[in-house]
Amino acid sequence: MPTLALNDDLALPVSQALAWRALHDLALLADSLPDGARLAAGDAPRSYALALPGFEGVVTVLDLEVPSRLRLRIDGRGPRTGKVEGQAQLRLASLGEDRALLHVALVIQAERETPSKVAGLMALRERLAGIAAAVERRHPSDRPRPVKAPPKPWPQRLVDWYLGWFAAIFNGTLFPPPKPRARGPRAKR
């Protein structure tokens, strides 16, 4: 069975406790899905029916540690993938009183084929961006969002690289240290 393992992080502009409640808010999670997707309570306790374009399945909560860890099982079927099984682990960490970090680790096994790692990572990031947008719509923050620094101009990047290379020569990190040789009896010539 082809296997796909993905990891990604998402910074949410809410506290860890509020992010934990958002992960259990079915309406918020359904709002974060793309058009044509559905999320509803399932037949079994702590299970949810999930329908995405090209996939239908059940997501079951396996275990949780309030308010930091949630482990899910995914079972379903898709026309391209066939039967799909997998697990997802979501970890929440506090980045201060009004910011939380959500780390997602996902492992999926499919009967026929899985998306490439790049396509899977792009889809995961798209879903995480949808969750972040839904959280921001539901719980707006008055704090400014972090701004990504613009890239340095190429002459500055060249100078930084050269200085780093030059420093590595003198601090001994440019080349690895030689491997020790096994001492054995000397051969006579």
Side-chain angles (χ1 to χ4, degrees):
M1 291 181 90
T3 302
L4 178 65
L6 301 171
N7 291 294
D8 205 2
D9 293 321
L10 173 68
L12 295 169
V14 294
S15 66
Q16 182 179 4
L18 193 56
W20 181 258
R21 285 195 304 270
L23 287 178
H24 296 301
D25 185 354
L26 194 59
L28 184 139
L29 294 174
D31 185 33
S32 72
L33 294 174
D35 293 336
R38 292 184 330 270
L39 180 67
D43 299 334
R46 297 187 350 174
S47 71
Y48 304 94
L50 175 65
L52 295 168
F55 176 80
E56 281 196 31
V58 175
V59 178
T60 308
V61 176
L62 294 177
D63 65 338
L64 49 96
E65 284 176 25
V66 178
S68 60
R69 187 174 68 82
L70 176 68
R71 199 163 56 100
L72 307 168
R73 178 168 177 75
I74 303 161
D75 293 305
R77 180 168 287 284
R80 282 188 17 219
T81 58
K83 184 176 182 199
V84 175
E85 296 176 344
Q87 285 195 8
Q89 181 163 290
L90 292 86
R91 289 191 173 269
L92 272 173
S94 178
L95 295 177
E97 66 183 51
D98 57 354
R99 285 183 52 96
L101 178 71
L102 173 65
H103 176 76
V104 178
L106 177 67
V107 177
I108 296 175
Q109 288 186 325
E111 185 178 43
R112 285 188 230 131
E113 68 175 280
T114 61
S116 71
K117 184 150 182 138
V118 172
L121 194 55
M122 287 174 51
L124 177 62
R125 286 186 177 153
E126 185 179 317
R127 290 291 41 86
L128 290 176
I131 290 173
V135 167
E136 286 184 36
R137 280 192 302 273
R138 188 73 53 94
H139 307 287
S141 174
D142 58 348
R143 298 194 74 191
R145 297 182 72 190
V147 178
K148 207 176 207 181
K152 292 180 181 178
W154 72 267
Q156 183 63 46
R157 290 195 312 255
L158 180 66
V159 168
D160 289 349
W161 173 84
Y162 181 74
L163 290 175
W165 174 79
F166 195 68
I169 289 174
F170 290 105
N171 67 15
T173 59
L174 184 62
F175 298 107
K179 294 181 181 176
R181 294 185 182 171
R183 297 273 180 179
R186 293 189 125 190
K188 292 188 177 185
R189 293 187 184 183

